[in-house]
Amino acid sequence: TKKENLPQEELVLAPEEYKGFKMNREDLYRQYFLFWKSWHDEFIVSLSSDSNRKKQIDCAEEAIKNLINLKALLNEEKQKGLDIYINQIKALRDRSSKDLYGDSVTANVQSAERIKRDILRDFSYRKIKDYLI
């Protein structure tokens, strides 16, 4: 048949970059804020229950990571304000990981709850929307 004698075309697959859905800064801020809050809540639970150190550290790390993502969306003045809380969480993470006998559980939970309250107060979207870059 005629078709069999035709040269076969070679299939060439060209990679295409998938751009995906682009979120605007407001939605990104809200998403990172929600992720931070969830991880921070989990951090508080892990501090107050007798969770293992690795879980406490992982929760703190995830909370910090999301605050750092938030920070990139803010102007310089607000970044400095957020740095204070990021450093407080890092210090609390370090303190809790060294508290081998659980002597400071109550103080650590209170610190984590205070940090959470302060961030909710100072960095909710409503308060921060004019400082997004």
Side-chain angles (χ1 to χ4, degrees):
T1 66
K2 286 186 178 184
K3 280 190 177 182
E4 288 173 1
N5 296 335
L6 292 175
Q8 289 226 322
E9 283 189 44
E10 197 174 312
L11 181 61
V12 178
L13 295 175
E16 274 188 59
E17 187 179 329
Y18 177 68
K19 297 280 190 229
F21 173 71
K22 280 262 197 203
M23 292 180 99
N24 63 32
R25 288 188 144 341
E26 293 81 11
D27 290 339
L28 266 178
Y29 188 90
R30 286 186 172 108
Q31 181 182 10
Y32 290 136
F33 194 80
L34 181 65
F35 290 166
W36 157 75
K37 187 178 175 299
S38 297
W39 281 108
H40 199 94
D41 287 342
E42 192 70 25
F43 182 43
I44 292 171
V45 168
S46 73
L47 286 171
S48 52
S49 64
D50 206 15
S51 287
N52 64 33
R53 305 254 174 275
K54 183 177 178 348
K55 176 151 177 81
Q56 292 173 3
I57 291 168
D58 288 347
C59 291
E61 288 296 325
E62 288 297 322
I64 291 165
K65 183 175 80 176
N66 282 288
L67 288 179
I68 290 169
N69 289 337
L70 274 185
K71 186 178 138 181
L73 300 169
L74 297 171
N75 71 12
E76 192 176 340
E77 171 197 348
K78 290 297 178 182
Q79 284 184 1
K80 288 178 183 169
L82 194 53
D83 271 337
I84 293 167
Y85 297 124
I86 290 170
N87 290 331
Q88 288 176 358
I89 296 171
K90 286 178 179 177
L92 178 57
R93 173 202 61 203
D94 295 345
R95 275 196 315 274
S96 70
S97 70
K98 291 175 186 153
D99 184 23
L100 300 178
Y101 301 106
D103 298 332
S104 305
V105 168
T106 304
N108 289 342
V109 169
Q110 288 172 345
S111 290
E113 287 174 343
R114 179 189 44 75
I115 294 167
K116 177 185 166 189
R117 264 192 323 272
D118 291 349
I119 293 173
L120 288 171
R121 180 193 67 217
D122 296 341
F123 287 91
S124 67
Y125 178 74
R126 191 174 43 79
K127 287 249 179 112
I128 218 73
K129 63 184 178 203
D130 295 333
Y131 300 96
L132 293 177
I133 54 168

